[in-house]
Amino acid sequence: MRWAPGIAQQSPLTSFCSLVELQLAFITWHSTKNNLQHRTAEMGGQQVIARRGQPFTITLHFQGRGYLHGDSLHLIAETGPQPDQQAGTQSIFPVGPGQPDLKRAWRATASAASGPRSTDVVVWPPAGAPIGRYQLKIRVDSDHTSKFYYLGDFILLFNAWCPDDDVYLESELEREEYVLNEQGLIYQGNKNWIRPVPWNFGQFEEGIVGICLKLLDRSLHFLHDPGRDCSLRNSPVYVSRVLSAMINSNDDNGVLLGNWSEDYSGGVRPTEWSGSIAILTQWDHSGGRPVKYGQCWVFAAVMCTVLRCLGIPSRVVTNFDSGHEKDGNLIIDVFYDKAGHLLPTESKDSIWNFHVWNECWMARRDLPPGYHGWQVLDATPQERSNGLYCCGPAPVSAIREGDVDVRFDAPFVFSMVNADRVAWLLDGARKEKLQWDTSAVGNNISTKCVGSDEREDITSAYKYPEGSLAERRVFLKALGQRQPLSPPVRYRSGVLPVAFSASVEDRTREPPPAMAQTSLKLQLVESPEVGQDIQLVLAACNLEFVHKELKLSLSAQAVLHDGHPRPPFWQETLYLSLRPREEKELPWTISYQQYGQQLGEDKQLCVIALGEENTTWLKTLAEKTITMASPSLDIHVLASVVVNQPFPIQVVFANPLSEPVGNCVLTMEGSGLVKGQLGPLGPRKQTSVRLQLTPYKSGPRQLHVTLKSSQFPPVKGHKQLQVIGFRNA
């Protein structure tokens, strides 16, 4: 068969019946043009990648004679291994005139093309079609005979630009941010020191869309019933819930293996990752073996890549002081010994310094009105939901109003932002209540702003202001709700925990702990960087008109971001005299020599002051979580950045330590992945390395640089680049 010159992506056709008068020669998919119109061009031009509810055009080329209006053409679109018309995974539809019904049915219209024996066919996938990989076939009816041809494959995605699609977003700026943007920022640290960490989502990198579809095909839902699974892929609620289970590997051969042990042998430290592409491609190339290792921000970042790739608007959200509460009573207990040391506990209740999850935008037609919009998804494996380690989608609006009977996993999500924190002092068998804090959980909930690198605080979307009557009303409402939505829906702990049925009246009558009339407050003189001494001030104030003697137990210990403490590395006992209403400030220094070897991957310390009055024996507690700032990496671009042309960069790093640093490895990601050796670095010395990169895409890009060494956790930097295309060069 001879191909006409200048026709892109021409596919040979397979015939299944006898010859008829009208014969199809080949098809032109117009992949480049179609993908540009569907905003998928950067995924590659080898096949059509379309968004549902939006047409794409193919050209049919006949031999012998052209298509006549008396001829009958029917297209057949099929997805999944068991295509079925009733399930919505197979559709047979005529090629003819008429306006398409985008909501319910596939349609196709024909018009004359440039050649005498060619016909343009515009295919309209409905806005409610299942997403996935499709086969397209055609049946040609002519002269009382029929002939079938296999035309080829195409991919169908969700469409945030289509008003009839359940993921429709009205704002173009939000669509560009939450679907098209391949770079982002993830917020870490603690509520008083929030820092952005850059991430390369890379959802448009070639091959990633195939990996994302493979994820769906590896899910337990697909393996159990592939026909039903593919049929349900018309729902972003279903697809996102399946993905929240597949990003972790606890129940299946999902993407990431979580590790919070600080022993990362045999894999990559979670803090070393800077993008999703390496993780997803490693999972794919290994045949689906979980990638080692991930923690919450890595799970959320990879989840964001997959959701955006498939067309579901998504963003990464960080919740500071995030609750993990299992008992169902919305109380998280923490324990200290009589020296003021934070104790590890066998209970799974904890408060993470920060926790990262996803929000995705969609309609919730499975729920009563009022729950459309942003939904919480959490791929970090914490608790089982309906038998699997997954979480969500849970409507953010339901969390704000305390509607924890709404599917999916609303009770667990509510507790992450709204539990109370109760501090206890353990002294042998005796347990003494120190504090009851109603505002300790769920602070400074953060995400990247639309169209800029600024931080957006979205706490008000999750909860009413702390201390307000509305906040307590919602809290007690959530505490009092007991029944699940319906018997088939099982929440994270199997069913809604019994503790949720505790009397609301009992809760409101809970007596506050007796507190000493002495206040303690810890303040940082300045935010410290790794290698610097920590300068603190402890302010002690006598709140009464009597003289007081105060015993102060001071300590410091490293703490992981999931709230798990390490043993104290420093402690001291002081005795302080305070005149009536007197306030004193005590300077306090923790040297690098004291904390340097104790610092964990998260670079976080917990400093605690426990005061005890010598007459009343009443106690007061002050604590502060300190996140050590990483030293900076300076990135200098030394020439214009033009697509497909190498350009030089220089990375400069100054060793902040008073000791040599060896085993330094520099990793770059963004416009390709490059590795270079830096070390060793002398004490307090500056060094630099020059490298060349060759960008393969134009437009705004983000370069990520990570420096790894044996002396401190990975140091990260990033640089915004504007890559000039050939036309503008």
Coordinates of all heavy atoms in Angstrom, one line a residue, residues 106-186:
W106 N -21.7 9.2 22.4 CA -20.7 9.4 21.4 C -21.3 9.9 20.1 O -22.4 9.4 19.7 CB -19.8 8.2 21.1 CG -18.9 7.8 22.3 CD1 -19.3 7.2 23.4 CD2 -17.5 8.0 22.3 NE1 -18.2 7.0 24.2 CE2 -17.1 7.4 23.6 CE3 -16.5 8.5 21.5 CZ2 -15.8 7.4 24.0 CZ3 -15.2 8.5 21.9 CH2 -14.8 8.0 23.1
R107 N -20.7 10.8 19.4 CA -21.2 11.3 18.1 C -20.1 11.5 17.1 O -18.9 11.7 17.6 CB -22.0 12.6 18.3 CG -23.3 12.5 19.0 CD -24.4 11.7 18.2 NE -25.7 11.7 18.9 CZ -26.0 10.7 19.8 NH1 -25.2 9.8 20.1 NH2 -27.2 10.8 20.4
A108 N -20.3 11.5 15.9 CA -19.4 11.8 14.9 C -20.0 12.4 13.7 O -21.2 12.0 13.3 CB -18.6 10.5 14.4
T109 N -19.4 13.4 13.1 CA -19.9 14.1 11.9 C -18.8 14.0 10.8 O -17.6 14.0 11.1 CB -20.3 15.6 12.2 OG1 -19.1 16.2 12.7 CG2 -21.4 15.7 13.2
A110 N -19.3 14.0 9.5 CA -18.4 13.9 8.4 C -18.5 15.1 7.5 O -19.5 15.8 7.4 CB -18.7 12.6 7.6
S111 N -17.3 15.5 6.9 CA -17.3 16.5 5.9 C -16.2 16.3 4.9 O -15.3 15.5 5.2 CB -17.1 17.9 6.6 OG -15.8 17.9 7.3
A112 N -16.3 16.9 3.8 CA -15.3 16.6 2.7 C -13.9 17.2 3.1 O -13.8 18.2 3.7 CB -15.8 17.3 1.4
A113 N -12.9 16.4 2.8 CA -11.5 16.8 3.1 C -10.9 17.4 1.8 O -11.6 17.6 0.8 CB -10.7 15.6 3.6
S114 N -9.6 17.6 1.9 CA -9.0 18.3 0.7 C -8.9 17.4 -0.5 O -9.0 17.8 -1.6 CB -7.5 18.7 1.1 OG -6.8 17.6 1.6
G115 N -8.7 16.1 -0.3 CA -8.6 15.1 -1.4 C -10.0 14.6 -1.9 O -10.9 14.6 -1.1
P116 N -10.1 14.2 -3.1 CA -11.4 13.7 -3.6 C -11.9 12.4 -3.0 O -13.1 12.1 -3.0 CB -11.1 13.5 -5.1 CG -9.7 13.3 -5.3 CD -9.1 14.2 -4.2
R117 N -10.9 11.6 -2.5 CA -11.3 10.4 -1.9 C -11.0 10.4 -0.4 O -10.8 9.3 0.2 CB -10.6 9.2 -2.6 CG -11.0 9.0 -4.0 CD -10.4 7.7 -4.6 NE -9.0 7.9 -4.8 CZ -8.4 8.5 -5.9 NH1 -9.2 8.9 -6.8 NH2 -7.1 8.6 -6.0
S118 N -11.1 11.5 0.2 CA -10.8 11.7 1.7 C -12.0 12.3 2.4 O -12.7 13.2 1.8 CB -9.6 12.5 1.9 OG -8.4 11.8 1.3
T119 N -12.2 12.0 3.6 CA -13.3 12.5 4.4 C -12.9 12.8 5.8 O -12.2 12.0 6.4 CB -14.5 11.5 4.5 OG1 -15.0 11.3 3.2 CG2 -15.6 12.1 5.4
D120 N -13.1 14.0 6.3 CA -12.8 14.4 7.7 C -13.9 13.9 8.6 O -15.1 14.2 8.2 CB -12.6 15.9 7.8 CG -11.3 16.4 7.2 OD1 -10.4 15.5 7.0 OD2 -11.2 17.6 6.9
V121 N -13.6 13.3 9.6 CA -14.6 12.9 10.6 C -14.2 13.5 12.0 O -13.1 13.4 12.5 CB -14.6 11.3 10.8 CG1 -15.6 10.9 11.9 CG2 -15.0 10.7 9.4
V122 N -15.2 14.2 12.5 CA -15.1 14.8 13.8 C -15.7 13.9 14.9 O -16.9 13.7 14.8 CB -15.7 16.2 13.9 CG1 -15.5 16.9 15.3 CG2 -15.0 17.1 12.8
V123 N -14.9 13.5 15.8 CA -15.4 12.5 16.8 C -15.6 13.3 18.1 O -14.7 14.0 18.6 CB -14.4 11.4 17.1 CG1 -14.9 10.4 18.1 CG2 -14.1 10.7 15.8
W124 N -16.8 13.1 18.7 CA -17.1 13.8 20.0 C -17.3 12.8 21.1 O -18.3 12.2 21.2 CB -18.5 14.6 19.8 CG -18.5 15.7 18.8 CD1 -18.5 15.6 17.5 CD2 -18.4 17.1 19.1 NE1 -18.5 16.8 16.9 CE2 -18.4 17.8 17.8 CE3 -18.3 17.8 20.3 CZ2 -18.4 19.1 17.7 CZ3 -18.2 19.2 20.2 CH2 -18.3 19.9 18.9
P125 N -16.3 12.6 21.9 CA -16.5 11.8 23.1 C -17.4 12.5 24.1 O -17.2 13.7 24.4 CB -15.1 11.6 23.7 CG -14.2 12.2 22.7 CD -14.9 13.2 21.9
P126 N -18.4 11.8 24.7 CA -19.2 12.5 25.7 C -18.5 12.9 27.0 O -17.4 12.3 27.3 CB -20.3 11.5 26.0 CG -19.7 10.2 25.7 CD -18.7 10.4 24.6
A127 N -18.9 13.9 27.7 CA -18.3 14.4 28.9 C -18.4 13.4 30.0 O -17.6 13.6 31.0 CB -18.9 15.8 29.3
G128 N -19.2 12.4 29.9 CA -19.3 11.4 31.0 C -18.7 10.1 30.6 O -19.0 9.1 31.3
A129 N -17.9 10.0 29.5 CA -17.3 8.7 29.1 C -16.2 8.3 30.1 O -15.5 9.1 30.7 CB -16.7 8.9 27.7
P130 N -16.0 7.0 30.2 CA -14.9 6.5 31.0 C -13.6 7.0 30.4 O -13.4 7.0 29.2 CB -15.0 5.0 31.0 CG -16.4 4.7 30.6 CD -16.9 5.9 29.8
I131 N -12.6 7.3 31.3 CA -11.3 7.7 30.8 C -10.5 6.4 30.6 O -10.8 5.4 31.1 CB -10.6 8.7 31.7 CG1 -10.3 8.0 33.1 CG2 -11.3 9.9 31.9 CD1 -9.0 8.2 33.7
G132 N -9.4 6.5 29.8 CA -8.6 5.4 29.6 C -8.1 5.3 28.1 O -8.2 6.2 27.3
R133 N -7.5 4.1 27.8 CA -7.0 3.9 26.5 C -8.2 3.2 25.6 O -8.8 2.2 26.1 CB -5.8 2.9 26.5 CG -5.1 2.8 25.2 CD -3.9 1.9 25.4 NE -3.0 2.3 26.4 CZ -2.0 3.3 26.3 NH1 -1.9 3.8 25.1 NH2 -1.2 3.6 27.3
Y134 N -8.4 3.8 24.5 CA -9.5 3.3 23.6 C -9.0 2.7 22.3 O -8.0 3.2 21.8 CB -10.5 4.5 23.3 CG -11.5 4.8 24.3 CD1 -11.2 5.5 25.5 CD2 -12.8 4.4 24.2 CE1 -12.1 5.8 26.4 CE2 -13.8 4.6 25.1 CZ -13.4 5.4 26.3 OH -14.4 5.7 27.2
Q135 N -9.7 1.7 21.8 CA -9.6 1.3 20.4 C -10.7 1.9 19.6 O -11.9 1.9 20.0 CB -9.7 -0.2 20.3 CG -8.5 -1.0 20.9 CD -8.5 -2.5 20.6 OE1 -9.6 -3.0 20.3 NE2 -7.4 -3.1 20.8
L136 N -10.4 2.4 18.4 CA -11.4 2.9 17.5 C -11.4 2.0 16.3 O -10.4 1.8 15.6 CB -11.0 4.4 17.1 CG -12.1 5.1 16.4 CD1 -13.3 5.3 17.2 CD2 -11.5 6.5 15.9
K137 N -12.6 1.6 16.0 CA -12.9 0.8 14.8 C -14.0 1.5 13.9 O -14.7 2.4 14.4 CB -13.3 -0.6 15.2 CG -12.4 -1.4 16.1 CD -12.9 -2.7 16.6 CE -12.0 -3.3 17.6 NZ -12.6 -4.6 18.2
I138 N -14.1 1.0 12.7 CA -15.2 1.5 11.8 C -15.8 0.4 11.1 O -15.2 -0.6 10.7 CB -14.6 2.6 10.8 CG1 -15.7 3.3 10.1 CG2 -13.6 2.0 9.9 CD1 -15.2 4.5 9.3
R139 N -17.1 0.5 10.9 CA -17.9 -0.4 10.1 C -18.4 0.4 8.8 O -19.1 1.4 9.0 CB -19.1 -1.0 10.8 CG -19.8 -2.1 10.1 CD -21.0 -2.5 10.8 NE -22.1 -1.6 10.6 CZ -23.1 -1.4 11.5 NH1 -23.1 -2.0 12.7 NH2 -24.1 -0.6 11.3
V140 N -18.0 -0.1 7.7 CA -18.4 0.5 6.4 C -19.4 -0.3 5.7 O -19.2 -1.5 5.4 CB -17.1 0.7 5.4 CG1 -17.6 1.3 4.1 CG2 -16.0 1.5 6.1
D141 N -20.6 0.2 5.6 CA -21.8 -0.4 5.0 C -22.0 0.1 3.6 O -22.2 1.3 3.4 CB -23.0 -0.3 5.8 CG -22.9 -0.8 7.2 OD1 -22.3 -1.9 7.3 OD2 -23.4 -0.2 8.2
S142 N -21.8 -0.7 2.5 CA -21.9 -0.2 1.2 C -22.3 -1.4 0.3 O -21.7 -2.5 0.4 CB -20.6 0.4 0.7 OG -20.7 0.8 -0.6
D143 N -23.3 -1.2 -0.6 CA -23.7 -2.2 -1.5 C -24.1 -3.5 -0.8 O -23.7 -4.6 -1.2 CB -22.6 -2.5 -2.5 CG -23.1 -3.2 -3.8 OD1 -24.3 -3.1 -4.0 OD2 -22.3 -3.8 -4.4
H144 N -24.9 -3.3 0.3 CA -25.5 -4.5 1.0 C -24.4 -5.3 1.7 O -24.7 -6.5 2.1 CB -26.3 -5.3 0.1 CG -27.4 -4.6 -0.6 ND1 -28.4 -4.0 0.0 CD2 -27.5 -4.3 -1.9 CE1 -29.2 -3.3 -0.9 NE2 -28.6 -3.5 -2.1
T145 N -23.2 -4.8 1.8 CA -22.2 -5.6 2.5 C -21.6 -4.7 3.6 O -21.7 -3.5 3.5 CB -21.1 -6.1 1.6 OG1 -20.5 -5.0 0.9 CG2 -21.7 -7.2 0.6
S146 N -20.9 -5.3 4.5 CA -20.2 -4.5 5.6 C -18.8 -5.0 5.7 O -18.4 -6.1 5.4 CB -20.9 -4.8 7.0 OG -22.3 -4.3 6.9
K147 N -18.0 -4.0 6.1 CA -16.6 -4.3 6.3 C -16.1 -3.5 7.5 O -16.4 -2.4 7.7 CB -15.8 -3.8 5.1 CG -14.3 -4.3 5.0 CD -13.7 -4.0 3.7 CE -12.3 -4.6 3.6 NZ -11.6 -4.2 2.3
F148 N -15.3 -4.2 8.4 CA -14.8 -3.6 9.6 C -13.3 -3.4 9.5 O -12.6 -4.2 8.9 CB -15.0 -4.6 10.8 CG -16.5 -4.7 11.2 CD1 -17.3 -5.6 10.5 CD2 -17.0 -4.0 12.2 CE1 -18.7 -5.8 10.9 CE2 -18.3 -4.1 12.6 CZ -19.2 -5.0 11.9
Y149 N -12.9 -2.2 10.0 CA -11.5 -1.9 10.1 C -11.1 -1.4 11.5 O -11.9 -0.7 12.2 CB -11.2 -0.7 9.2 CG -11.4 -1.0 7.7 CD1 -12.7 -0.7 7.1 CD2 -10.4 -1.5 6.9 CE1 -12.9 -0.9 5.8 CE2 -10.7 -1.7 5.5 CZ -11.9 -1.4 5.0 OH -12.1 -1.6 3.6
Y150 N -10.0 -1.9 11.9 CA -9.4 -1.3 13.2 C -8.6 -0.1 12.8 O -7.6 -0.1 12.0 CB -8.5 -2.4 13.8 CG -7.6 -1.9 14.9 CD1 -8.1 -1.5 16.1 CD2 -6.2 -1.8 14.7 CE1 -7.2 -1.0 17.1 CE2 -5.3 -1.3 15.6 CZ -5.9 -0.9 16.8 OH -5.0 -0.4 17.8
L151 N -8.9 1.0 13.4 CA -8.3 2.3 13.0 C -7.1 2.6 13.8 O -6.2 3.3 13.4 CB -9.3 3.5 13.1 CG -10.6 3.3 12.3 CD1 -11.5 4.5 12.5 CD2 -10.3 3.1 10.8
G152 N -7.1 2.2 15.1 CA -6.0 2.6 16.0 C -6.4 2.9 17.4 O -7.6 2.7 17.7
D153 N -5.5 3.3 18.2 CA -5.8 3.6 19.7 C -5.7 5.1 19.9 O -5.0 5.8 19.2 CB -4.8 2.9 20.6 CG -4.9 1.4 20.6 OD1 -5.8 0.9 19.9 OD2 -4.1 0.7 21.2
F154 N -6.5 5.6 20.9 CA -6.3 6.9 21.4 C -6.6 6.9 22.9 O -7.1 5.9 23.5 CB -7.2 7.9 20.7 CG -8.7 7.7 21.0 CD1 -9.4 8.4 22.0 CD2 -9.5 6.8 20.2 CE1 -10.7 8.2 22.3 CE2 -10.8 6.6 20.5 CZ -11.4 7.3 21.5
I155 N -6.2 7.9 23.6 CA -6.4 8.0 25.1 C -7.4 9.1 25.4 O -7.3 10.2 24.7 CB -5.0 8.3 25.7 CG1 -4.1 7.1 25.6 CG2 -5.2 8.7 27.2 CD1 -2.7 7.3 26.1
L156 N -8.2 8.9 26.3 CA -9.2 9.9 26.7 C -9.0 10.2 28.2 O -8.9 9.4 29.0 CB -10.6 9.3 26.5 CG -11.8 10.3 26.6 CD1 -11.7 11.3 25.5 CD2 -13.2 9.6 26.6
L157 N -9.0 11.6 28.5 CA -8.8 12.1 29.8 C -10.0 12.9 30.3 O -10.8 13.3 29.5 CB -7.5 13.0 29.8 CG -6.2 12.3 29.3 CD1 -5.1 13.4 29.3 CD2 -5.8 11.1 30.1
F158 N -10.0 13.2 31.6 CA -11.0 14.2 32.1 C -10.7 15.6 31.5 O -9.6 15.9 31.1 CB -10.9 14.2 33.6 CG -11.3 13.0 34.3 CD1 -10.3 12.1 34.9 CD2 -12.6 12.6 34.4 CE1 -10.7 11.0 35.6 CE2 -13.0 11.5 35.1 CZ -12.1 10.6 35.7
N159 N -11.7 16.4 31.6 CA -11.6 17.7 30.9 C -12.1 18.8 31.8 O -13.3 19.1 31.9 CB -12.4 17.7 29.6 CG -12.1 18.9 28.7 OD1 -11.4 19.8 29.1 ND2 -12.7 18.9 27.5
A160 N -11.2 19.6 32.4 CA -11.6 20.7 33.3 C -12.0 21.9 32.5 O -12.5 22.9 33.1 CB -10.3 21.1 34.2
W161 N -11.9 21.9 31.2 CA -12.4 23.0 30.3 C -13.8 22.8 29.9 O -14.4 23.7 29.2 CB -11.5 23.1 29.1 CG -10.1 23.8 29.5 CD1 -9.8 25.1 29.3 CD2 -9.0 23.1 30.0 NE1 -8.5 25.3 29.8 CE2 -8.0 24.1 30.2 CE3 -8.7 21.8 30.4 CZ2 -6.7 23.8 30.7 CZ3 -7.5 21.5 30.9 CH2 -6.5 22.5 31.0
C162 N -14.4 21.6 30.1 CA -15.7 21.3 29.6 C -16.8 21.5 30.7 O -16.7 20.8 31.7 CB -15.8 19.8 29.1 SG -17.4 19.3 28.5
P163 N -17.8 22.4 30.5 CA -18.7 22.6 31.6 C -19.6 21.3 31.9 O -20.1 21.3 33.1 CB -19.6 23.7 31.0 CG -18.8 24.4 30.0 CD -17.9 23.3 29.4
D164 N -19.6 20.4 31.0 CA -20.4 19.2 31.3 C -19.6 18.1 32.0 O -20.2 17.1 32.4 CB -21.0 18.6 30.0 CG -22.1 19.5 29.4 OD1 -22.8 20.2 30.2 OD2 -22.1 19.7 28.2
D165 N -18.3 18.3 32.2 CA -17.5 17.3 32.8 C -17.5 17.6 34.4 O -17.6 18.7 34.8 CB -16.0 17.4 32.3 CG -15.2 16.2 32.7 OD1 -15.1 15.8 33.9 OD2 -14.6 15.6 31.7
D166 N -17.5 16.5 35.1 CA -17.6 16.6 36.6 C -16.3 17.3 37.2 O -16.4 17.7 38.4 CB -17.7 15.2 37.2 CG -19.2 14.7 37.1 OD1 -20.0 15.5 36.7 OD2 -19.4 13.6 37.5
V167 N -15.3 17.4 36.4 CA -14.1 18.1 37.0 C -13.9 19.5 36.4 O -12.9 20.2 36.6 CB -12.8 17.3 36.7 CG1 -12.8 15.9 37.2 CG2 -12.5 17.3 35.2
Y168 N -15.0 20.1 35.9 CA -15.0 21.4 35.3 C -14.6 22.5 36.3 O -15.2 22.6 37.4 CB -16.3 21.8 34.7 CG -16.4 23.2 34.2 CD1 -15.7 23.6 33.1 CD2 -17.3 24.1 34.8 CE1 -15.8 24.9 32.6 CE2 -17.4 25.4 34.3 CZ -16.6 25.8 33.2 OH -16.7 27.1 32.8
L169 N -13.6 23.3 35.9 CA -13.2 24.5 36.7 C -13.5 25.7 35.9 O -13.1 25.8 34.7 CB -11.7 24.4 37.0 CG -11.2 24.0 38.4 CD1 -9.7 24.0 38.4 CD2 -11.7 24.9 39.4
E170 N -14.1 26.7 36.4 CA -14.5 27.9 35.7 C -13.4 28.8 35.4 O -13.3 29.4 34.3 CB -15.6 28.6 36.5 CG -16.2 29.8 35.7 CD -17.4 30.4 36.4 OE1 -17.8 29.9 37.5 OE2 -17.9 31.4 35.9
S171 N -12.4 28.9 36.3 CA -11.3 29.9 36.1 C -10.2 29.3 35.3 O -9.7 28.2 35.5 CB -10.8 30.3 37.5 OG -9.5 30.9 37.4
E172 N -9.8 30.1 34.2 CA -8.7 29.6 33.4 C -7.4 29.6 34.1 O -6.6 28.8 34.0 CB -8.6 30.5 32.1 CG -7.4 30.2 31.2 CD -7.5 28.8 30.6 OE1 -8.6 28.2 30.5 OE2 -6.4 28.3 30.2
L173 N -7.2 30.6 35.0 CA -6.0 30.7 35.8 C -5.9 29.4 36.7 O -4.8 28.9 36.9 CB -6.0 32.0 36.7 CG -5.8 33.3 35.9 CD1 -5.8 34.4 36.9 CD2 -4.4 33.3 35.2
E174 N -7.0 29.0 37.3 CA -7.0 27.8 38.1 C -6.7 26.5 37.3 O -6.0 25.6 37.7 CB -8.2 27.7 38.9 CG -8.4 28.8 40.0 CD -9.6 28.6 40.9 OE1 -10.5 27.8 40.4 OE2 -9.7 29.1 41.9
R175 N -7.3 26.5 36.1 CA -7.0 25.3 35.2 C -5.6 25.3 34.8 O -5.0 24.2 34.8 CB -7.9 25.4 34.0 CG -9.4 25.3 34.2 CD -10.2 25.1 32.9 NE -10.2 26.3 32.1 CZ -11.3 27.0 31.9 NH1 -12.4 26.7 32.5 NH2 -11.2 28.1 31.1
E176 N -4.9 26.4 34.6 CA -3.5 26.4 34.2 C -2.7 26.0 35.4 O -1.7 25.3 35.2 CB -3.1 27.8 33.8 CG -3.7 28.2 32.4 CD -3.3 29.6 32.0 OE1 -2.6 30.3 32.8 OE2 -3.7 30.1 30.9
E177 N -3.1 26.4 36.6 CA -2.3 26.0 37.8 C -2.5 24.6 38.2 O -1.6 23.8 38.5 CB -2.7 26.9 39.0 CG -2.0 26.6 40.3 CD -0.5 27.0 40.2 OE1 -0.2 28.1 39.8 OE2 0.3 26.2 40.6
Y178 N -3.8 24.1 38.2 CA -4.1 22.8 38.9 C -4.1 21.7 37.9 O -4.3 20.5 38.3 CB -5.4 22.9 39.6 CG -5.4 23.9 40.7 CD1 -6.4 24.9 40.9 CD2 -4.3 24.0 41.6 CE1 -6.4 25.8 41.9 CE2 -4.3 25.0 42.6 CZ -5.3 25.9 42.8 OH -5.3 26.8 43.8
V179 N -4.0 21.9 36.6 CA -4.0 20.9 35.6 C -2.7 20.9 34.8 O -2.0 19.9 34.6 CB -5.2 20.9 34.6 CG1 -5.1 19.8 33.6 CG2 -6.5 20.8 35.4
L180 N -2.3 22.1 34.3 CA -1.2 22.3 33.4 C 0.1 22.5 34.0 O 1.2 22.2 33.4 CB -1.5 23.4 32.4 CG -2.8 23.3 31.6 CD1 -3.0 24.4 30.6 CD2 -2.8 21.9 30.8
N181 N 0.2 23.1 35.2 CA 1.5 23.5 35.8 C 2.3 22.2 36.2 O 1.8 21.4 37.0 CB 1.3 24.4 37.0 CG 2.6 25.1 37.4 OD1 3.6 24.8 36.9 ND2 2.5 26.0 38.4
E182 N 3.5 22.1 35.7 CA 4.3 20.9 35.9 C 5.2 21.1 37.1 O 6.0 20.2 37.5 CB 5.1 20.6 34.7 CG 4.3 20.0 33.6 CD 5.2 19.4 32.5 OE1 5.6 18.3 32.6 OE2 5.5 20.2 31.5
Q183 N 5.3 22.3 37.7 CA 6.1 22.6 38.8 C 5.3 23.1 40.0 O 4.2 23.6 39.8 CB 7.2 23.7 38.5 CG 8.2 23.3 37.5 CD 7.8 23.5 36.1 OE1 7.1 24.5 35.8 NE2 8.2 22.7 35.2
G184 N 5.8 23.0 41.2 CA 5.0 23.4 42.3 C 5.9 23.5 43.6 O 7.1 23.3 43.5
L185 N 5.2 23.9 44.6 CA 5.9 24.1 45.9 C 5.1 23.3 47.0 O 3.9 23.3 47.0 CB 6.0 25.6 46.3 CG 6.8 26.5 45.4 CD1 6.6 27.9 45.9 CD2 8.2 26.1 45.4
I186 N 5.9 22.6 47.9 CA 5.3 21.9 49.0 C 5.8 22.5 50.2 O 7.0 22.7 50.4 CB 5.6 20.4 48.9 CG1 5.1 19.8 47.5 CG2 5.0 19.6 50.0 CD1 5.6 18.4 47.3

